[in-house]
Amino acid sequence: MIFKKFRIDQLFTVDTSNTYGSNLKDSEIIDDEGTTPYVGNIITNNGISGYSRYEANNEGNAITLSDTVTSVYDTIYYQKDSFIGKSHVQVLRPIMIENQDGEEEQLFLLNEKIALYIITCMKKSVKTGEFDYGTKFNSDAIKETLISLPVNDVKDNLPNFDYMEKYIQNIMPKYYELLDSKVEKIRMKNEEYKTMIKPFVNMLIENE
């Protein structure tokens, strides 16, 4: 397979996410009974800080990342569902072009598998510590970032999206196998821990 470097802005628009403004605190947006994802500047849980009862104000099927943390590459995620954005969250969507009928359409159709492939390539291009609160990975920096993607020919103006999708599809079973293995190891460690502390728990109960 041949690889070629593309600027992010050759494939995606980069816009700051829609928010509910700075007047609302996270605690006012997040609700235990909420169902709308609230995407924030965090490196865990797919970037979702919690869930809200407020209506989503960003469409799903997009890539999100924070422009304000040191480990920027740890905040790059694919958002399948529509969501609420927090300040400093950038949203990447396929750029719009005019088709032969004069109508606007996306340059390519993004899906989860293609997004996962591109996210991995983006992470390779963003160095740890290169961006922080002082030097933000803002929209201009994101747009200029080069990522290496597969092509059929170096003259191609678009990556080989079919290859990306099939590649992720092929490795997913291995990923889930590895994940299951890690989960099982955690379960076994928990069982060992419970066995280890059981005598102490019994002792405390007997001494009550």
Side-chain angles (χ1 to χ4, degrees), residues 1-206:
M1 179 55 63
I2 304 171
F3 290 84
K4 178 180 177 179
K5 289 187 177 180
F6 293 85
R7 278 176 49 130
I8 293 291
D9 61 3
Q10 289 180 272
L11 303 172
F12 294 95
T13 59
V14 181
D15 297 295
T16 303
S17 66
N18 295 320
T19 71
Y20 274 101
S22 58
N23 293 329
L24 288 178
K25 299 178 180 178
D26 286 359
S27 58
E28 296 175 286
I29 296 176
I30 296 173
D31 192 299
D32 290 340
E33 302 298 325
T35 58
T36 304
Y38 178 46
V39 178
N41 305 307
I42 62 173
I43 64 175
T44 58
N45 198 34
N46 210 63
I48 297 173
S49 301
Y51 292 85
S52 177
R53 291 189 178 186
Y54 284 91
E55 290 186 6
N57 51 10
N58 298 270
E59 289 187 13
N61 193 33
I63 294 173
T64 59
L65 62 88
S66 173
D67 66 13
T68 191
V69 297
T70 302
S71 299
V72 168
Y73 65 89
D74 282 329
T75 71
I76 309 175
Y77 293 108
Y78 171 72
Q79 305 299 337
K80 180 180 179 180
D81 301 318
S82 296
F83 60 93
I84 296 170
K86 183 180 173 67
S87 59
H88 296 293
V89 170
Q90 300 291 330
V91 184
L92 280 63
R93 303 183 190 279
I95 63 175
M96 302 298 292
I97 59 171
E98 187 176 295
N99 62 23
Q100 295 179 346
D101 298 323
E103 299 174 345
E104 278 201 335
E105 65 180 17
Q106 292 185 335
L107 178 65
F108 64 97
L109 296 178
L110 186 68
N111 60 38
E112 184 175 17
K113 294 182 180 65
I114 292 174
L116 290 175
Y117 191 105
I118 291 175
I119 287 170
T120 301
C121 296
M122 287 179 64
K123 289 183 176 183
K124 290 181 179 179
S125 299
V126 183
K127 298 176 182 177
T128 305
E130 184 176 359
F131 299 97
D132 52 29
Y133 287 99
T135 307
K136 291 181 170 55
F137 193 43
N138 58 29
S139 60
D140 289 336
I142 297 170
K143 291 174 183 178
E144 295 171 1
T145 298
L146 291 171
I147 55 176
S148 184
L149 297 173
V151 292
N152 292 321
D153 188 285
V154 290
K155 296 179 182 179
D156 290 348
N157 294 321
L158 286 176
N160 187 334
F161 295 108
D162 287 338
Y163 173 85
M164 297 184 209
E165 189 169 5
K166 290 176 182 176
Y167 183 90
I168 296 297
Q169 180 67 43
N170 289 335
I171 67 171
M172 272 188 166
K174 296 179 182 178
Y175 168 76
Y176 287 122
E177 182 180 341
L178 178 62
L179 185 62
D180 289 341
S181 174
K182 288 187 176 182
V183 170
E184 178 61 19
K185 287 180 180 178
I186 293 172
R187 188 194 67 78
M188 291 177 66
K189 284 185 178 180
N190 286 339
E191 291 299 325
E192 291 176 5
Y193 177 73
K194 286 192 288 185
T195 301
M196 181 181 68
I197 68 169
K198 186 175 181 180
F200 298 99
V201 174
N202 291 338
M203 187 184 302
L204 288 172
I205 294 173
E206 291 173 358

